[in-house]
Amino acid sequence: HASDIEFLPTIPNNDPPYNLQGRELRRAIWVTERCPELAYMLKRYHSESAFLATVQVNPKDIAIKRSGSRWVLDNRVVEAWTRLERNLLYVIDTLLEASSSVEYCFPFDPFWPNPSECGYRNDWADAYGARRAAYRSLDACRVLLARCTMAIALATPDPSVRPPLWVKILLEHGVPAAWIEHFQSSLLADLSSDLRVGAYISPAEGESGTKWVEHIPCLVSANVPVYIHWPAKGRDSIVRKYPFLHQYLPVPDLIVDIPSFDHQYCFRWDKLTGTAIQGQPALRPAI
């Protein structure tokens, strides 16, 4: 279930302190822990900017000012970001609690920090520290936006139903109609193809496997690109554990090796055959 990216990037470090930055978040992510929301990241910033503008949040408005001997983000910006963070968390929690999908069967650890945990409400010793905290907080906000999309997808068992089930859930829980309209008119609730970054997923058993393989049906139904990294051995046991993966088993006759551009593995999607092609360096053993 691939995107229009011909060559996918190498695997980034999945530690948030190192890759919770906009550039890395826009890549297809190799997800090995409990963070399926990253697969729902929109590929481009301007796609989110229209939604943020409707709630008086301007991603370009990083107004840093001096407060005594310290540096802070302007109060009006802090208030807007705080309001957005609080409302997004409420929508996410409401939809996930109401979701009966078996795919939502994993706990959410505080693996990816909320925006306020990245420091936009703090004061800093210099302007650089305050500005860096603001940009990291914005990146964390984009993870929340992706988590909203994930919650909407989990609460959308039948896309043809109007109004969608997730809209009914939010209305029943007292979410203002204006907020719901913002979501409906934005790309956050748009589950069309070619909008989101997607993820590499390893169904392997043990520590090397992704912890939320059972979330794949939701990703596919939401048109999120999914790249499955199949191990050379043990595929039969994987399919017995996850029967829905049978249709995604690689066809041996269509798998070929291609040269890599660097010393790490890369992947290419052959759109003509619909086949995942694995590239590897000439000096490294095949897997």
Side-chain angles (χ1 to χ4, degrees):
H1 191 66
S3 69
D4 59 350
I5 303 174
E6 183 180 7
F7 279 94
L8 302 182
T10 53
I11 301 169
N13 188 314
N14 72 340
D15 185 356
Y18 292 96
N19 73 349
L20 185 58
Q21 303 290 340
R23 181 171 54 188
E24 284 74 17
L25 288 173
R26 282 304 183 278
R27 296 181 177 183
I29 304 293
W30 184 293
V31 188
T32 59
E33 296 296 337
R34 292 181 288 273
C35 43
E37 61 266 43
L38 289 187
Y40 294 89
M41 295 285 302
L42 289 169
K43 289 194 292 187
R44 295 174 178 83
Y45 283 128
H46 67 77
S47 303
E48 294 151 347
S49 298
F51 169 79
L52 294 174
T54 63
V55 290
Q56 289 76 54
V57 172
N58 182 1
K60 298 181 180 180
D61 187 7
I62 309 294
I64 304 299
K65 65 179 185 179
R66 183 186 289 275
S67 178
S69 62
R70 309 286 286 181
W71 292 84
V72 297
L73 190 62
D74 187 86
N75 287 340
R76 61 184 175 80
V77 178
V78 171
E79 291 176 0
W81 288 14
T82 301
R83 183 172 58 251
L84 174 64
E85 179 180 357
R86 182 176 61 250
N87 291 340
L88 289 178
L89 286 171
Y90 181 79
V91 167
I92 292 167
D93 291 342
T94 299
L95 291 178
L96 291 181
E97 288 177 5
S99 175
S100 60
S101 172
V102 296
E103 294 151 12
Y104 178 51
C105 58
F106 42 83
F108 275 108
D109 286 356
F111 186 75
W112 296 93
N114 289 328
S116 56
E117 297 175 83
C118 292
Y120 75 88
R121 295 192 295 191
N122 299 348
D123 57 82
W124 298 84
D126 52 51
Y128 172 79
R131 192 173 301 277
R132 185 174 185 275
Y135 279 113
R136 280 181 54 77
S137 298
L138 271 179
D139 289 334
C141 176
R142 292 180 170 108
V143 175
L144 278 188
L145 296 177
R147 189 177 291 183
C148 265
T149 298
M150 183 192 71
I152 288 172
L154 285 169
T156 308
D158 187 352
S160 65
V161 173
R162 291 290 181 271
L165 178 59
W166 68 268
V167 171
K168 296 180 181 178
I169 293 172
L170 293 182
L171 287 173
E172 291 172 356
H173 284 78
V175 176
W179 257 92
I180 297 176
E181 290 176 4
H182 288 322
F183 280 112
Q184 282 190 288
S185 62
S186 74
L187 291 180
L188 298 187
D190 187 342
L191 302 181
S192 302
S193 60
D194 201 30
L195 293 178
R196 311 189 188 283
V197 296
Y200 302 118
I201 296 176
S202 171
E205 299 179 290
E207 292 300 320
S208 63
T210 304
K211 308 304 181 185
W212 42 271
V213 175
E214 291 181 355
H215 197 81
I216 290 177
C218 184
L219 294 171
V220 174
S221 65
N223 287 304
V224 176
V226 176
Y227 302 87
I228 299 174
H229 178 265
W230 287 97
K233 298 179 180 180
R235 295 177 183 176
D236 291 341
S237 63
I238 290 173
V239 173
R240 283 196 297 270
K241 185 176 181 180
Y242 307 112
F244 57 85
L245 290 182
H246 185 271
Q247 60 184 313
Y248 305 119
L249 277 170
V251 180
D253 293 341
L254 298 179
I255 297 178
V256 298
D257 289 340
I258 59 173
S260 174
F261 292 115
D262 56 22
H263 295 298
Q264 299 185 39
Y265 293 107
C266 69
F267 298 81
R268 182 166 66 83
W269 183 262
D270 186 342
K271 284 197 170 184
L272 296 179
T273 62
T275 304
I277 302 176
Q278 179 174 319
Q280 45 201 358
L283 299 179
R284 295 184 65 173
I287 59 171

